[in-house]
Amino acid sequence: MIDEQMMRLALDLAKSAEGQTSPNPLVGAVCVKNGQIIGTGVHLKAGMPHAEVHALEMAGTEANGADLYITLEPCAHDGKTPPCTDLIIESKIKRVIIATLDPNPLVSGRGIERLRYAGIEVKIGVLQKEAAYLNRAFFHFIKYGMPYVTLKAATTLDGRLASNHGDSKWISTESSRTDVHKLRHTHDAILVGVETVLHDNPFLTTRLPHGGKNPIRIILDRQLRTPETANLLTDDAAETIIFTLNKTEKASHLLACPKVSIEQISETDPFLEEVLKRLATRGIMTLFVEGGSQIHTSFIQQRLANELYLYIAPKLLGNGISFMMDESRKWIQDSEKLTFLSVKQIDQDIRIHAQFEKEDGC
C-alpha cells in the first residue's frame, strides 16, 4: 500500500535526526505526485524549518495537487517558525496523510482542522503506532513536564554491577561501551550519583570515531561531596549541573569550574521528581541515567524510569553489588514488570532494551 510505504520513508527520515531536535519532536515529510516522490524533508533542530517546509520547497510548484505525508500533525501556531499549515495550504496540496496527532495543546487537532477548512483531504493514523513510538519521549515530555528517563547498566550474568570492592572495569566489552556512546549521543543529558563520581571519576562524554554530541552532565549530590578535581568539573566538554540539598561554602569553589552550575532542592520537595521538573524547564527532554545501584533503584521505586538498556556479560561473580537493591519487594508479584523491545548480541555481550510497564501506558 503506497500510503504505508511513503509514511515508512517519512518515519525513517524523522529517525535520522534522533538526538538533535529536543525539545521538539522528530518529524519527517514526503511529498508525492503521480506515484513519484517530488520532495522530502526532516526537522533537524529546534528553531530551524520543519520537515514540511523542506519537502515543499524541494517540490516547488509541483506540489500543486500532490499528496503530503507527515509523521506528526503539522503546526498551526506561530512559534520560532511560521505555521506549517499555512505553507501547505499555499502550496495547494490536495491530500495530507498524517501518522499521529500532536499532543501539544498548541497544536493538537488545530492543524487538521485548519487544513480541512481549506478544503484539503486529511487522512490520519497511517503507521500511527510506529510514529507514536518514535516520539515517545516528546509525548511523555508534553504530558508530564519531565524528561523521558532511560536507565543503563552493565552486569554479569548473575546481575552484578560490581564486586563488593566496587570493581566494575570492565564488565562489558569494548564494543558494548561503544554502543553506549552512541546512546549518549542521542540523549540531552546524562545523570550519575556522587558515589559514581567519587569512585570512577568519569567524563560522561560521547567518544565516537567521528565525534558526537556531548550530553549535559547531571550529578545528584545531596551533601555536595563532589571534589573540585572531578573530571566532570575540570573539563569544559559539556555543561555540568549539580543538584544538592545542602549548598555549603564549598559551592563557590565548585562554581569557579568551567560550565558548572549548582541547583539546590528543598528538603521538603521530592528530590528526584524536582530534579526532573527542573531539567524540563531547561528543555531537557531525554535523560540517560548511568548511576549505580542506589540511583537505579530510586528511579524504579519512584516509577520515574521509562526504559532500560541492560548489557549482560557472560561472567559470573557470585557476590557483589546488584543492579537493583529493593528489600521492600518480598514476593514475585511485587516485581517490576517490563516489556522487551529488542534483544541484541554485541560481541560477547547481550544487550536488552526494555520498557517499564506503566498503568497509563506512558
Side-chain angles (χ1 to χ4, degrees):
M1 186 177 178
I2 189 169
D3 282 354
E4 289 192 2
Q5 180 184 351
M6 294 303 166
M7 188 61 76
R8 201 167 297 282
L9 174 58
L11 287 168
D12 288 342
L13 288 168
K15 187 173 176 57
S16 69
E18 190 173 16
Q20 297 179 190
T21 64
S22 256
N24 286 1
L26 296 163
V27 184
V30 177
C31 194
V32 178
K33 191 172 186 179
N34 299 323
Q36 299 295 313
I37 297 172
I38 59 173
T40 60
V42 58
H43 180 49
L44 295 173
K45 188 178 180 181
M48 294 182 67
H50 292 181
E52 303 94 312
V53 175
H54 290 299
L56 292 172
E57 285 182 348
M58 185 183 295
T61 57
E62 286 297 305
N64 189 340
D67 294 340
L68 182 64
Y69 295 83
I70 319 170
T71 58
L72 189 68
E73 178 183 4
C75 62
H77 67 287
D78 285 292
K80 292 183 179 179
T81 58
C84 290
T85 50
D86 290 359
L87 181 60
I88 294 171
I89 293 167
E90 291 168 8
S91 300
K92 298 181 180 179
I93 287 290
K94 179 182 179 181
R95 189 171 71 119
V96 175
I97 302 90
I98 300 167
T100 186
L101 299 179
D102 191 327
N104 189 336
L106 294 174
V107 181
S108 189
R110 297 182 183 183
I112 291 167
E113 181 182 351
R114 201 162 183 173
L115 294 175
R116 284 176 171 162
Y117 183 79
I120 296 173
E121 180 186 345
V122 179
K123 182 178 179 180
I124 309 165
V126 177
L127 300 185
Q128 181 176 5
K129 184 178 179 180
E130 291 88 338
Y133 177 76
L134 179 66
N135 271 312
R136 61 198 182 280
F138 173 72
F139 285 18
H140 176 90
F141 185 74
I142 293 295
K143 183 174 182 178
Y144 297 103
M146 293 191 290
Y148 191 86
V149 176
T150 298
L151 308 185
K152 168 263 166 182
T155 72
T156 59
L157 198 58
D158 51 345
R160 308 299 180 178
L161 286 174
S163 71
N164 285 329
H165 301 290
D167 175 33
S168 62
K169 291 185 177 181
W170 291 104
I171 288 177
S172 59
T173 63
E174 184 176 350
S175 298
S176 290
R177 298 195 292 276
T178 298
D179 191 67
V180 170
H181 285 281
K182 293 177 183 176
L183 293 173
R184 288 180 179 179
H185 170 74
T186 62
H187 285 79
D188 299 331
I190 182 169
L191 181 149
V192 295
V194 67
E195 293 297 338
T196 297
V197 176
L198 293 171
H199 190 271
D200 296 336
N201 195 21
F203 285 93
L204 301 182
T205 50
T206 299
R207 299 182 293 279
L208 294 170
H210 302 291
K213 181 192 72 176
N214 288 324
I216 295 172
R217 301 172 298 195
I218 313 298
I219 305 172
L220 301 186
D221 184 1
R222 295 174 188 244
Q223 301 305 318
L224 213 57
R225 294 186 292 140
T226 301
E228 298 168 41
T229 55
N231 289 327
L232 294 177
L233 307 187
T234 57
D235 77 345
D236 60 354
E239 180 184 356
T240 298
I241 308 170
I242 303 172
F243 285 92
T244 186
L245 291 175
N246 187 13
K247 203 168 183 178
T248 63
E249 295 178 3
K250 183 181 177 182
S252 60
H253 299 288
L254 298 179
L255 289 170
C257 299
K259 296 184 179 180
V260 173
S261 60
I262 299 175
E263 294 246 4
Q264 185 171 5
I265 307 292
S266 170
E267 293 189 9
T268 60
D269 291 330
F271 188 77
L272 276 186
E273 188 174 330
E274 185 63 23
V275 167
L276 294 181
K277 288 178 179 178
R278 294 200 190 183
L279 292 179
T281 64
R282 293 172 176 257
I284 293 173
M285 188 172 74
T286 54
L287 179 65
F288 198 52
V289 177
E290 291 197 34
S293 179
Q294 290 183 355
I295 296 291
H296 288 139
T297 301
S298 294
F299 271 97
I300 294 170
Q301 283 177 331
Q302 296 177 41
R303 302 193 64 74
L304 295 173
N306 300 100
E307 289 187 15
L308 166 69
Y309 279 95
L310 187 63
Y311 296 80
I312 304 174
K315 301 171 182 176
L316 295 171
L317 194 54
N319 59 36
I321 302 169
S322 296
F323 162 70
M324 181 179 167
M325 305 284 284
D326 188 350
E327 295 182 1
S328 68
R329 299 172 192 258
K330 304 296 184 182
W331 309 96
I332 292 296
Q333 66 185 24
D334 299 327
S335 60
E336 193 72 25
K337 297 177 178 62
L338 297 91
T339 300
F340 282 178
L341 299 175
S342 68
V343 178
K344 177 182 179 181
Q345 182 164 353
I346 300 177
D347 198 352
Q348 294 300 307
D349 300 333
I350 298 294
R351 188 193 79 178
I352 295 176
H353 181 201
Q355 193 170 45
F356 289 87
E357 292 187 6
K358 302 290 180 70
E359 290 180 2
D360 60 0
C362 296

